[in-house]
Amino acid sequence: MIARIWSGASQLYLLLLPFSWLYGLVTALIRYSYRRGWRKVHRFSLPIVVVGNLTAGGNGKTPAVLWLVTQLQARGWRVGVVSRGYGGRAAQYPLLLDATTTSEQCGDEPLLIWQRTGAPVAVAPRRAEAVAVLLRAQPLDVVVTDDGLQHYALGRDIEWVVIDGERRFGNGWWLPAGPMRERADRLQQVQAIIVNGGDARPGEVPMRLVAGAAVNLLTGERRALSGLTPVVAMAGIGHPPRFFATVRAGGVTPVREVAFGDHQAYRQQMLDALAAPDEQLLMTEKDAVKCRSFARANWWYLPVDAQLPKGAQQRLLTLVEQAIQRYREVADGGAKT
């Protein structure tokens, strides 16, 4: 129902408009208070890159973060990542992830980023505290924040917005009548608009998600997606149909497709009921980080990687590297004086 309302297919959004106006007013006042200096904006001695979105729900933001982190690491930069840690319940914050951290503590996306990239990752509702704990732990050249476009307490140098190219902005209204956290004119103030799937418009950067080989949760074995049969596909992400479409694009037609809510908590018995012993249960990598501790032999996940045009890649990375160099020059100038 909410998808129909947000897409504009249902007129029920009209009943929610008063709440949307209130949401828009409150968020506008919050942002204005930071711009006027009435609330403190925390800044640090290195660049902060925010990869966020304007809408609720999955847009492909985390794959974009993974792409950026791995690209910067390949160029020799020391990268840290911070996140709100949505869905996690840590005993205390900020939380610096390590080999003992569970998704129940930090949330699924931060754990996925830490496992995939090896970059230091910290989570905290107040993202400035997460940045501070990263910097106390080790020297860094740049910090990437997974989400947080609307978290104005953290100063930032570069903002990227990721858009779902198929759903885009739905009916265009603020929550709860529509999917918008901020209105579309906010795009005029960001440094890059990345469009995941669909058709990118002039000035936007097209991104597509490409699936790799399926990975067994229990053994780590890698197998071509076409080698898994029969498959039951499951996804607990912001937009499960995107994952199911990726599976079908890989040449596999699932016997069943099971969609869960974003950040769904799983139990072994819950997933045992989805697939028979002779079927392969295929999930997203984001789901897998929550299931490894009780995985079965027939459970697999499908990692995806973001792909961007080469010219766009260079432009985006140059923006970040120029910011890193500016901070280094300031630090070197201060050291000399």
Side-chain angles (χ1 to χ4, degrees):
M1 176 59 75
I2 195 65
R4 284 180 52 80
I5 293 174
W6 285 0
S7 70
S10 170
Q11 297 299 305
L12 289 177
Y13 79 91
L14 295 170
L15 300 176
L16 299 172
L17 281 180
F19 302 101
S20 292
W21 294 330
L22 179 61
Y23 180 95
L25 175 62
V26 170
T27 55
L29 288 174
I30 290 173
R31 186 178 178 204
Y32 184 74
S33 69
Y34 283 109
R35 292 177 62 184
R36 295 289 297 177
W38 299 339
R39 295 189 182 193
K40 183 177 181 180
V41 176
H42 298 269
R43 302 191 182 276
F44 296 88
S45 58
L46 81 174
I48 307 292
V49 181
V50 173
V51 181
N53 49 38
L54 296 185
T55 58
N59 297 312
K61 168 181 52 60
T62 299
V65 170
L66 290 169
W67 176 84
L68 176 58
V69 172
T70 54
Q71 290 289 323
L72 291 173
Q73 288 175 325
R75 292 173 176 235
W77 300 112
R78 298 167 297 182
V79 189
V81 180
V82 300
S83 172
R84 165 67 178 84
Y86 185 83
R89 295 291 185 271
Q92 61 181 19
Y93 292 105
L95 175 66
L96 186 63
L97 275 62
D98 60 29
T100 66
T101 308
T102 66
S103 61
E104 288 80 9
Q105 295 172 309
C106 69
D108 42 29
E109 289 157 343
L111 188 57
L112 187 162
I113 294 168
W114 184 82
Q115 291 179 347
R116 176 80 85 91
T117 68
V121 178
V123 300
R126 297 176 179 174
R127 289 174 177 83
E129 295 179 355
V131 175
V133 79
L134 282 179
L135 296 179
R136 288 196 297 268
Q138 62 190 95
L140 296 171
D141 297 308
V142 59
V143 168
V144 177
T145 172
D146 180 27
D147 208 357
L149 188 68
Q150 293 78 32
H151 187 76
Y152 291 108
L154 178 61
R156 69 284 305 269
D157 302 270
I158 296 172
E159 294 178 323
W160 294 358
V161 168
V162 182
I163 298 173
D164 184 314
E166 296 178 358
R167 295 179 295 167
R168 294 192 75 90
F169 303 131
N171 62 17
W173 279 103
W174 289 296
L175 294 165
M180 306 299 291
R181 297 174 175 176
E182 294 182 277
R183 299 302 287 270
D185 57 5
R186 177 72 167 83
L187 294 177
Q188 299 172 13
Q189 297 149 7
V190 306
Q191 284 67 50
I193 304 168
I194 300 172
V195 178
N196 179 21
D199 296 321
R201 298 174 182 176
E204 298 176 342
V205 177
M207 179 182 83
R208 65 189 187 101
L209 302 181
V210 179
V215 182
N216 188 275
L217 271 72
L218 202 59
T219 66
E221 175 194 351
R222 293 181 176 270
R223 188 182 298 180
L225 183 57
S226 58
L228 294 182
T229 184
V231 164
V232 175
M234 58 159 278
I237 57 177
H239 188 50
R242 183 189 296 121
F243 176 69
F244 302 143
T246 300
V247 173
R248 292 192 296 272
V252 172
T253 301
V255 296
R256 287 184 299 283
E257 296 175 352
V258 183
F260 291 100
D262 199 9
H263 305 287
Q264 171 72 46
Y266 297 112
R267 301 184 307 276
Q268 189 178 64
Q269 296 82 354
M270 177 193 303
L271 301 190
D272 280 343
L274 299 182
D278 62 339
E279 296 175 325
Q280 310 301 316
L281 182 63
L282 182 65
M283 64 187 71
T284 72
E285 187 174 10
K286 179 176 166 179
D287 292 313
V289 300
K290 296 179 283 191
C291 303
R292 281 196 173 94
S293 62
F294 51 84
R296 300 293 194 186
N298 62 333
W299 293 5
W300 303 75
Y301 72 87
L302 188 65
V304 295
D305 292 301
Q307 287 192 354
L308 288 71
K310 288 186 177 180
Q313 290 186 41
Q314 187 58 47
R315 290 196 303 273
L316 293 175
L317 293 172
T318 296
L319 281 174
V320 179
E321 291 187 309
Q322 287 175 342
I324 295 173
Q325 293 293 356
R326 285 196 300 271
Y327 275 86
R328 286 193 160 193
E329 290 170 4
V330 170
D332 290 343
K336 291 176 182 178
T337 58

